[in-house]
Amino acid sequence: MEDLVLGLDTFGDIPADDSGMPVSHAAAIRQVVEEAVLADELGVDVIAVGEHHRPEYSISTPETVLAGIASRTSRIKLASGVTVLSSDDPVRVFQRFATVDAISRGRAQTILGRGSFTESFPLFGYDLSDYDLLFEEKLELFVKLLDEEPVTWSGTTRAALDNAEVFPKTESGRLDTWVGVGGSPQSLVRTARHGLPLMLAIIGGSPERFEPHIDLYRRAAEQFGTHPHPVGMHSPGFVADTDEEAKELYYPSYKVIRDRIGALRGWPPVRRAEFDAEVEHGSMYIGAPETVARKIARTITALGVGRFDMIYSAGDQPASARMRTVELFGAKVAPMVRDILAG
């Protein structure tokens, strides 16, 4: 697969320092920049950073961090993963990413979504009862902005625009834009209707269960007469020198953050047996380079996706271990995946 994209994704989790203590939010942001610089040097295709407004995560404005990464890298694609469009303003999102695109010489990519957390809604004065309407209307406006022509638009979630020009324009004439989807059929069809590439969040269970979702997206694109772009996916993972080391580095931090979030959502605490089963059969890509590469290749083949981003941070793993997982992914996992698929 010549056009296969292999990337890394982080939520800006707060890692531990050499003494085992969590670092500051500021240090965590700087850590992500260093990880992205290493990924660029090793040939990783894309680095995606998520938007969150919770104490466990350091990045609330992905485009600001991406602008910093842009100034220290030369080739890696710079993506959000995702930008919570529902609680932001589409015009400002476009302007900020168009600015990153200028700084990076065309490497910016925004992945728009509704987000899996809801803290941004009350923070910015939005009513959760408008959850679906906010995204529907704002995505509609954002798609108009992508043409980089004067925009006329009206809706109920922001002020109307009448023949409005939005600046800056991109040098290419179109900002690289995807939609991140958790799997709802309505979201898949909406993405196809707008003719945008699809990024699936596959964070648990057998990845093969998403085959019908990908098929629906492609059939919907055909019916709407839009372009059925190659589908992307992101899933959690972690790479170390051995399978056992990877699991032991990942699990304790993962359990803490998973149980903390699960308590808010009515989930029972995760058990080690469930984690091990997910690593073996589900959507966690954790282990030595060959183990992770073979599993990624199997998933890409099974689903026919054109992009795989590995979410490589979960809680307070040591910063040194996170740098090692970036190093192993870029130097060993990504080349192995390409070799397996070419064989």
Side-chain angles (χ1 to χ4, degrees):
M1 301 176 67
E2 292 183 6
D3 298 327
L4 177 65
V5 174
L6 296 171
L8 290 167
D9 193 333
T10 180
F11 296 163
D13 305 73
I14 311 298
D17 61 18
D18 291 340
S19 69
M21 295 297 295
V23 305
S24 66
H25 283 90
I29 291 170
R30 293 192 292 269
Q31 175 71 23
V32 168
V33 174
E34 295 304 322
E35 289 161 358
V37 170
L38 178 59
D40 180 64
E41 293 171 353
L42 293 169
V44 175
D45 294 322
V46 60
I47 183 76
V49 297
E51 173 191 344
H52 295 88
H53 304 271
R54 297 177 53 85
E56 300 93 347
Y57 306 116
S58 63
I59 298 172
S60 60
T61 57
E63 55 271 45
T64 310
V65 179
L66 294 173
I69 294 171
S71 69
R72 295 188 54 196
T73 56
S74 60
R75 47 157 302 281
I76 196 168
K77 196 81 170 177
L78 309 170
S80 59
V82 300
T83 292
V84 185
L85 186 65
S86 308
S87 57
D88 210 327
D89 183 80
V91 174
R92 292 298 283 150
V93 172
F94 178 87
Q95 290 176 322
R96 296 194 299 261
F97 274 92
T99 301
V100 176
D101 201 61
I103 295 169
S104 65
R105 297 184 179 272
R107 291 185 283 133
Q109 179 181 90
T110 179
I111 303 178
L112 306 172
R114 295 187 291 183
S116 60
F117 295 93
T118 59
E119 288 82 4
S120 64
F121 289 82
L123 186 63
F124 299 119
Y126 291 100
D127 192 331
L128 275 170
S129 65
D130 296 327
Y131 185 80
D132 292 320
L133 177 64
L134 284 163
F135 190 70
E136 180 70 44
E137 286 198 356
K138 292 186 176 188
L139 183 61
E140 179 185 271
L141 173 54
F142 200 92
V143 170
K144 287 180 176 290
L145 295 169
L146 291 176
D147 292 332
E148 303 193 15
E149 299 289 342
V151 173
T152 297
W153 178 91
S154 64
T156 62
T157 54
R158 79 172 311 279
L161 297 175
D162 183 14
N163 207 39
E165 286 271 18
V166 176
F167 304 101
K169 311 291 188 184
T170 63
E171 287 183 322
S172 69
R174 191 169 181 88
L175 182 65
D176 188 3
T177 302
W178 294 53
V179 176
V181 173
S184 81
Q186 297 89 342
S187 296
L188 296 163
V189 172
R190 181 195 300 118
T191 303
R193 175 164 55 85
H194 287 303
L196 295 173
L198 172 70
M199 174 62 76
L200 280 170
I202 305 179
I203 59 173
S206 170
E208 284 80 7
R209 66 194 175 94
F210 279 82
E211 285 184 82
H213 298 74
I214 295 172
D215 181 61
L216 174 60
Y217 167 73
R218 290 172 175 157
R219 286 189 290 109
E222 183 178 354
Q223 290 178 17
F224 287 122
T226 56
H227 182 64
H229 300 271
V231 173
M233 61 172 286
H234 74 184
S235 293
F238 203 76
V239 192
D241 292 301
T242 67
D243 290 349
E244 195 59 32
E245 182 186 10
K247 288 188 284 189
E248 294 310 312
L249 281 168
Y250 189 88
Y251 179 71
S253 300
Y254 163 76
K255 177 173 172 56
V256 169
I257 198 164
R258 162 62 173 72
D259 288 351
R260 185 181 303 157
I261 293 167
L264 300 174
R265 300 183 178 185
W267 302 341
V270 68
R271 295 179 296 114
R272 179 60 190 253
E274 295 170 335
F275 169 77
D276 289 338
E278 192 68 41
V279 171
E280 186 69 25
H281 305 292
S283 293
M284 282 187 166
Y285 299 76
I286 296 173
E290 184 175 357
T291 300
V292 174
R294 290 191 179 282
K295 189 171 182 181
I296 291 174
R298 284 197 302 271
T299 297
I300 290 171
T301 300
L303 297 182
V305 296
R307 171 174 173 177
F308 183 98
D309 289 358
M310 189 182 79
I311 309 168
Y312 67 93
S313 60
D316 63 351
Q317 286 101 358
S320 57
R322 274 186 25 187
M323 286 292 280
R324 181 62 172 159
T325 206
V326 171
E327 178 186 2
L328 291 172
F329 183 88
K332 295 189 176 182
V333 174
M336 282 186 195
V337 171
R338 296 186 191 281
D339 286 346
I340 292 167
L341 295 174

